[in-house]
Amino acid sequence: MLHSLPLAIKVEALEKRFDKVHAVRGLDFEARQGTILGLLGGNGAGKTTTIGMLLGLVRPTVGKIELLGVDVQTNRPLVQHLINFESPYVDMPLRLTVRQNLTVYGKLYGVVDLKARIAELAGILDLTHLLERPTGKLSAGQKTRVSLAKALVNSPRLLLLDEPT
């Protein structure tokens, strides 16, 4: 039954070189919608670089990436509103409150009934009492939950998590 689900991600012969450094070499994988896939490897193995390529933020040296049936290299605008990501390497503006940050990201994604979506995520992720606090005044765990709320604000069909543990 799992094989009858459409593909969420298809990666073929993916490579990324930075001058003489091969960050990603010959990567092939598929993930069907409704599944969870983990990229495992040591420090410097190319996991974050791969996520950057999946998001269309880093251009592959060679290879092909399809997300939800769309070629990311040639048609990224067709899919970018359907995906989102969370990464400990990307900070939100620290002076803005949690609510302001979620509002900015929600507006970037064109979320309908954004106030209700923020309230829903705040309830699910135990952020309601933090909505008016500046993001820079949060603990590391609180920032992680806010970052996850940011990644879920647009109800993405494909969610990429960098260092989710």
Side-chain angles (χ1 to χ4, degrees):
M1 176 144 185
L2 186 62
H3 293 288
S4 65
L5 294 172
L7 285 177
I9 301 173
K10 183 175 183 178
V11 171
E12 295 177 337
L14 191 64
E15 295 193 15
K16 180 61 183 175
R17 286 187 297 276
F18 296 99
D19 295 321
K20 295 181 181 181
V21 176
H22 238 117
V24 176
R25 184 186 310 229
L27 184 62
D28 296 288
F29 69 90
E30 294 180 352
R32 298 207 172 267
Q33 292 183 30
T35 63
I36 297 172
L37 170 76
L39 298 178
L40 303 175
N43 292 339
K47 301 177 299 292
T48 297
T49 300
T50 298
I51 289 173
M53 289 188 285
L54 291 173
L55 291 167
L57 302 174
V58 175
R59 183 176 298 274
T61 305
V62 296
K64 183 176 180 180
I65 300 169
E66 287 185 11
L67 300 181
L68 304 168
V70 174
D71 183 323
V72 175
Q73 287 103 310
T74 59
N75 294 302
R76 182 174 175 244
L78 296 177
V79 73
Q80 67 188 17
H81 66 286
L82 302 173
I83 64 176
N84 211 327
F85 77 103
E86 189 277 329
S87 173
Y89 306 118
V90 179
D91 276 332
M92 286 181 267
L94 301 177
R95 290 184 183 175
L96 295 182
T97 66
V98 171
R99 184 184 310 278
Q100 289 169 329
N101 268 304
L102 295 177
T103 298
V104 167
Y105 284 98
K107 286 183 177 184
L108 287 172
Y109 279 98
V111 175
V112 176
D113 200 3
L114 182 54
K115 287 182 181 182
R117 181 64 178 152
I118 290 171
E120 177 186 24
L121 289 169
I124 292 168
L125 296 169
D126 191 26
L127 297 172
T128 304
H129 64 291
L130 300 173
L131 287 173
E132 304 313 322
R133 190 178 297 179
T135 304
K137 300 286 185 183
L138 302 177
S139 71
Q142 291 167 334
K143 285 179 185 175
T144 298
R145 291 198 323 267
V146 171
S147 187
L148 184 56
K150 186 271 312 171
L152 294 170
V153 74
N154 64 318
S155 303
R157 288 183 49 201
L158 176 61
L159 180 62
L160 302 172
L161 305 173
D162 193 2
E163 303 283 351
T165 58

